[in-house]
Amino acid sequence: MGQKTVREEVVFIPASLKKKVYIEHSYDCLTCRTAGISSIKRAPAPKAPLAKSFAGPTVLAWLFHQKYEMSLPLYRQEKEWRDYGLSVTRKTLANWVIRSAQEWLAPIYDRLRQTLSQEEVIHADETPVQILNRSDGRPATSDGRMWLFQTLDKADHPVVFYHASLTRERQNILDVL
């Protein structure tokens, strides 16, 4: 009876970018066409997570990982991605973050808010933040607020929820809860 030896090794492979090209072929049934029936068939390519964007799901996941988990600012990501051979401006990266949040994360945000509002006890705190380009016309020296709402640690579904606002008005709490 032979022996089986297993050796495991961890190998570091530097990050790389690969371009995937999807080609959609269309086929037409000639017999059907002569009978006057349109029967063009096509297998659709996978849809992009962001319409009219070449960013695939793995690129967006890496963008979010670097920005939020690794605290890497967009200007440094722009430089790193250029070193990999992909020239993308930080404005494009910022648009990908904003659009992804609006199109994909908004339902999760709403669900977390609903779960939070069902709790009997909630911790809340607010911190002043400076907003440079304010939509309410106030000067950039006026403070906005970053609100933190949190369930108890022993809640069935613990939630940590952040909410940004331009003021410290009571209405902000009512809007969240």
Side-chain angles (χ1 to χ4, degrees):
M1 185 178 243
Q3 286 186 333
K4 180 178 180 182
T5 304
V6 177
R7 180 180 170 280
E8 292 182 6
E9 179 179 328
V10 176
V11 179
F12 177 75
I13 300 171
S16 63
L17 297 170
K18 294 181 182 175
K19 182 179 181 180
K20 286 186 176 181
V21 178
Y22 296 99
I23 299 171
E24 298 181 8
H25 292 282
S26 298
Y27 297 96
D28 189 12
C29 173
L30 295 177
T31 308
C32 299
R33 190 178 345 152
T34 57
I37 302 171
S38 175
S39 65
I40 297 175
K41 300 291 182 191
R42 181 186 67 169
K47 292 190 178 200
L50 298 175
K52 299 181 181 177
S53 169
F54 63 85
T58 56
V59 168
L60 295 174
W62 185 247
L63 171 65
F64 273 74
H65 167 73
Q66 285 187 309
K67 180 164 178 53
Y68 295 110
E69 291 184 52
M70 305 304 291
S71 302
L72 195 65
L74 294 178
Y75 76 91
R76 288 184 50 204
Q77 289 187 52
E78 175 185 26
K79 181 183 178 301
E80 180 183 354
W81 292 27
R82 191 179 322 114
D83 293 344
Y84 293 142
L86 181 63
S87 182
V88 178
T89 66
R90 71 187 82 159
K91 180 180 179 182
T92 299
L93 296 175
N95 285 334
W96 288 352
V97 169
I98 292 166
R99 287 182 55 205
S100 296
Q102 290 172 336
E103 295 176 23
W104 294 98
L105 300 178
I108 297 170
Y109 183 83
D110 293 339
R111 179 66 178 175
L112 287 172
R113 188 178 54 73
Q114 290 171 359
T115 303
L116 180 74
S117 65
Q118 295 171 357
E119 292 292 319
E120 290 184 26
V121 178
I122 298 170
H123 299 285
D125 190 22
E126 46 86 24
T127 302
V129 293
Q130 187 176 21
I131 302 171
L132 297 179
N133 189 8
R134 295 180 62 105
S135 61
D136 60 357
R138 290 184 181 176
T141 54
S142 304
D143 283 338
R145 292 289 190 258
M146 182 60 69
W147 297 84
L148 166 70
F149 298 91
Q150 185 172 357
T151 61
L152 296 174
D153 290 341
K154 296 178 181 176
D156 291 339
H157 302 286
V159 173
V160 177
F161 186 85
Y162 291 92
H163 177 74
S165 68
L166 295 174
T167 65
R168 193 179 185 194
E169 293 175 358
R170 181 175 187 255
Q171 189 61 40
N172 293 305
I173 296 172
L174 298 175
D175 290 344
V176 172
L177 303 177

Coordinates of all heavy atoms in Angstrom, one line a residue, residues 132-170:
L132 N -17.1 70.8 2.9 CA -16.6 71.9 2.1 C -17.6 72.4 1.1 O -17.7 73.6 0.9 CB -15.3 71.4 1.4 CG -14.2 71.0 2.3 CD1 -13.0 70.5 1.5 CD2 -13.8 72.1 3.2
N133 N -18.3 71.5 0.5 CA -19.2 72.0 -0.6 C -20.7 71.7 -0.1 O -21.2 70.6 -0.4 CB -18.9 71.2 -1.9 CG -19.7 71.8 -3.0 OD1 -20.4 72.8 -2.9 ND2 -19.7 71.1 -4.2
R134 N -21.2 72.6 0.6 CA -22.5 72.4 1.3 C -23.6 72.7 0.3 O -23.6 73.7 -0.4 CB -22.6 73.3 2.5 CG -21.6 72.9 3.6 CD -21.8 73.8 4.8 NE -23.1 73.7 5.4 CZ -23.4 73.0 6.5 NH1 -22.4 72.4 7.1 NH2 -24.6 73.0 7.0
S135 N -24.7 71.8 0.3 CA -25.8 72.0 -0.5 C -26.8 73.1 0.0 O -27.7 73.5 -0.7 CB -26.5 70.7 -0.8 OG -27.0 70.2 0.5
D136 N -26.7 73.4 1.3 CA -27.6 74.4 1.9 C -27.1 75.8 1.8 O -27.8 76.7 2.3 CB -27.9 74.0 3.3 CG -26.7 74.0 4.2 OD1 -25.6 74.3 3.7 OD2 -26.8 73.8 5.4
G137 N -26.0 76.1 1.1 CA -25.5 77.4 0.9 C -24.7 78.0 2.1 O -24.2 79.1 2.0
R138 N -24.7 77.3 3.2 CA -23.9 77.8 4.3 C -22.4 77.8 4.0 O -22.0 77.0 3.1 CB -24.1 77.0 5.6 CG -25.5 77.2 6.1 CD -25.6 76.4 7.4 NE -26.9 76.5 8.0 CZ -27.3 75.9 9.1 NH1 -26.5 75.1 9.7 NH2 -28.5 76.1 9.6
P139 N -21.6 78.6 4.7 CA -20.1 78.5 4.4 C -19.5 77.2 4.8 O -20.1 76.5 5.7 CB -19.6 79.7 5.2 CG -20.6 80.0 6.2 CD -21.9 79.6 5.6
A140 N -18.3 76.9 4.3 CA -17.7 75.6 4.6 C -17.2 75.6 6.0 O -16.9 74.5 6.5 CB -16.5 75.4 3.7
T141 N -17.2 76.7 6.7 CA -16.8 76.7 8.1 C -17.9 76.2 9.0 O -17.7 75.9 10.2 CB -16.4 78.1 8.6 OG1 -17.4 79.0 8.3 CG2 -15.1 78.5 7.9
S142 N -19.1 76.1 8.5 CA -20.3 75.6 9.3 C -20.1 74.1 9.4 O -19.8 73.4 8.5 CB -21.6 75.9 8.6 OG -21.7 77.3 8.4
D143 N -20.4 73.6 10.6 CA -20.3 72.2 10.9 C -21.5 71.4 10.4 O -22.6 71.8 10.6 CB -20.1 71.9 12.4 CG -18.7 72.2 12.9 OD1 -17.8 72.2 12.1 OD2 -18.5 72.4 14.1
G144 N -21.2 70.2 9.8 CA -22.2 69.3 9.6 C -22.2 68.2 10.7 O -21.4 68.4 11.6
R145 N -22.9 67.2 10.6 CA -22.9 66.1 11.6 C -22.8 64.8 11.0 O -23.4 64.4 10.0 CB -24.2 66.2 12.5 CG -24.3 67.5 13.3 CD -23.3 67.4 14.5 NE -23.5 68.5 15.4 CZ -22.8 69.6 15.5 NH1 -21.8 69.8 14.6 NH2 -23.0 70.5 16.5
M146 N -22.0 63.9 11.7 CA -22.0 62.5 11.4 C -22.6 61.8 12.6 O -22.1 61.9 13.7 CB -20.6 62.0 11.2 CG -20.5 60.5 10.8 SD -21.4 60.0 9.3 CE -20.4 60.8 8.1
W147 N -23.7 61.1 12.4 CA -24.5 60.5 13.5 C -24.1 59.0 13.5 O -24.0 58.4 12.5 CB -26.0 60.6 13.3 CG -26.5 62.0 13.3 CD1 -26.5 62.9 12.3 CD2 -27.0 62.7 14.4 NE1 -27.0 64.1 12.7 CE2 -27.3 64.0 14.0 CE3 -27.3 62.3 15.7 CZ2 -27.9 64.9 14.8 CZ3 -27.8 63.2 16.6 CH2 -28.2 64.5 16.1
L148 N -24.0 58.5 14.7 CA -23.7 57.0 14.9 C -24.9 56.5 15.7 O -25.2 57.0 16.8 CB -22.4 56.8 15.6 CG -22.2 55.4 16.2 CD1 -22.0 54.4 15.0 CD2 -21.1 55.3 17.1
F149 N -25.5 55.5 15.2 CA -26.6 54.8 16.0 C -26.1 53.3 16.1 O -25.7 52.7 15.1 CB -27.9 54.8 15.2 CG -28.4 56.2 15.0 CD1 -28.1 56.9 13.9 CD2 -29.3 56.8 16.0 CE1 -28.6 58.2 13.7 CE2 -29.7 58.1 15.8 CZ -29.4 58.8 14.6
Q150 N -26.3 52.8 17.3 CA -25.9 51.4 17.5 C -26.8 50.7 18.4 O -27.3 51.2 19.4 CB -24.4 51.4 18.1 CG -23.8 50.1 18.2 CD -22.4 50.2 18.7 OE1 -21.8 51.3 18.8 NE2 -21.7 49.1 18.9
T151 N -27.1 49.4 18.1 CA -27.9 48.5 19.0 C -27.0 48.1 20.1 O -25.8 48.3 20.1 CB -28.4 47.3 18.2 OG1 -27.3 46.6 17.7 CG2 -29.3 47.7 17.0
L152 N -27.6 47.4 21.1 CA -26.9 46.8 22.2 C -26.0 45.7 21.6 O -26.4 45.1 20.6 CB -27.8 46.2 23.2 CG -28.7 47.3 24.0 CD1 -29.6 46.5 24.9 CD2 -27.8 48.2 24.8
D153 N -24.9 45.4 22.2 CA -24.0 44.3 21.8 C -24.8 43.0 21.8 O -24.5 42.1 20.9 CB -22.8 44.2 22.6 CG -21.8 45.3 22.4 OD1 -22.0 46.0 21.4 OD2 -21.0 45.6 23.3
K154 N -25.7 42.8 22.7 CA -26.4 41.5 22.8 C -27.7 41.4 22.0 O -28.5 40.5 22.2 CB -26.6 41.2 24.3 CG -25.3 41.0 25.1 CD -25.5 40.8 26.5 CE -24.2 40.7 27.2 NZ -24.3 40.5 28.6
A155 N -27.9 42.4 21.2 CA -29.1 42.4 20.3 C -29.1 41.1 19.4 O -28.0 40.6 19.1 CB -29.2 43.6 19.5
D156 N -30.3 40.7 19.0 CA -30.4 39.5 18.1 C -29.7 39.8 16.8 O -29.0 38.9 16.2 CB -31.9 39.2 17.8 CG -32.5 38.6 19.1 OD1 -31.8 38.1 20.0 OD2 -33.8 38.7 19.1
H157 N -29.8 41.0 16.3 CA -29.1 41.4 15.1 C -28.4 42.8 15.3 O -29.0 43.8 15.1 CB -30.2 41.6 13.9 CG -30.9 40.4 13.7 ND1 -30.4 39.3 13.1 CD2 -32.2 40.0 14.0 CE1 -31.3 38.3 13.0 NE2 -32.4 38.8 13.5
P158 N -27.2 42.7 15.8 CA -26.5 44.0 16.1 C -26.3 44.8 14.9 O -26.0 44.3 13.8 CB -25.1 43.5 16.7 CG -25.3 42.1 17.0 CD -26.4 41.6 16.2
V159 N -26.5 46.1 15.0 CA -26.4 47.1 13.9 C -25.5 48.3 14.3 O -25.8 48.8 15.4 CB -27.7 47.5 13.4 CG1 -27.6 48.6 12.4 CG2 -28.5 46.4 12.9
V160 N -24.6 48.7 13.5 CA -23.9 49.9 13.7 C -24.3 50.8 12.4 O -24.0 50.3 11.3 CB -22.4 49.8 13.8 CG1 -21.7 51.1 13.8 CG2 -22.0 48.9 14.9
F161 N -24.9 51.9 12.6 CA -25.5 52.7 11.5 C -25.0 54.1 11.5 O -25.0 54.8 12.6 CB -27.0 52.6 11.7 CG -27.8 53.3 10.6 CD1 -28.1 52.5 9.4 CD2 -28.2 54.6 10.6 CE1 -28.8 53.1 8.4 CE2 -28.9 55.1 9.6 CZ -29.2 54.4 8.5
Y162 N -24.4 54.6 10.4 CA -24.0 56.0 10.3 C -24.9 56.8 9.4 O -25.4 56.2 8.4 CB -22.6 56.0 9.7 CG -21.5 55.4 10.6 CD1 -21.1 54.1 10.5 CD2 -20.8 56.2 11.5 CE1 -20.2 53.6 11.3 CE2 -19.9 55.7 12.3 CZ -19.5 54.4 12.2 OH -18.6 53.9 13.0
H163 N -25.1 58.0 9.8 CA -26.0 58.9 9.0 C -25.4 60.3 9.0 O -25.0 60.9 10.0 CB -27.4 58.9 9.6 CG -28.3 59.9 9.0 ND1 -28.9 59.6 7.8 CD2 -28.8 61.1 9.3 CE1 -29.7 60.6 7.4 NE2 -29.6 61.5 8.4
A164 N -25.2 60.9 7.8 CA -24.6 62.2 7.7 C -25.7 63.2 7.5 O -26.7 62.9 6.9 CB -23.7 62.3 6.5
S165 N -25.6 64.4 8.1 CA -26.5 65.5 8.0 C -25.8 66.8 8.0 O -24.7 66.9 8.5 CB -27.6 65.4 9.1 OG -27.0 65.7 10.3
L166 N -26.5 67.8 7.5 CA -25.9 69.1 7.5 C -26.1 69.9 8.8 O -25.4 70.9 9.1 CB -26.6 70.0 6.3 CG -26.3 69.4 4.9 CD1 -27.1 70.2 3.9 CD2 -24.8 69.5 4.6
T167 N -27.1 69.5 9.6 CA -27.4 70.2 10.9 C -27.5 69.2 12.0 O -27.4 68.0 11.9 CB -28.7 70.9 10.8 OG1 -29.8 70.0 10.6 CG2 -28.7 71.9 9.6
R168 N -27.7 69.8 13.2 CA -27.9 68.9 14.4 C -29.4 68.9 14.8 O -29.7 68.5 15.9 CB -27.1 69.6 15.5 CG -26.9 68.7 16.7 CD -26.1 69.5 17.8 NE -25.8 68.5 18.9 CZ -25.4 68.9 20.0 NH1 -25.1 70.2 20.3 NH2 -25.2 68.0 21.0
E169 N -30.2 69.2 13.9 CA -31.7 69.2 14.2 C -32.2 67.9 14.6 O -31.8 66.8 14.2 CB -32.4 69.7 12.9 CG -32.1 71.1 12.5 CD -32.8 71.5 11.2 OE1 -33.5 70.6 10.6 OE2 -32.7 72.7 10.8
R170 N -33.2 67.9 15.5 CA -33.9 66.8 16.0 C -34.5 65.9 14.8 O -34.6 64.7 14.9 CB -35.0 67.2 16.9 CG -35.8 66.1 17.6 CD -36.8 66.7 18.6 NE -37.4 65.6 19.3 CZ -38.7 65.3 19.1 NH1 -39.4 65.9 18.2 NH2 -39.2 64.3 19.9

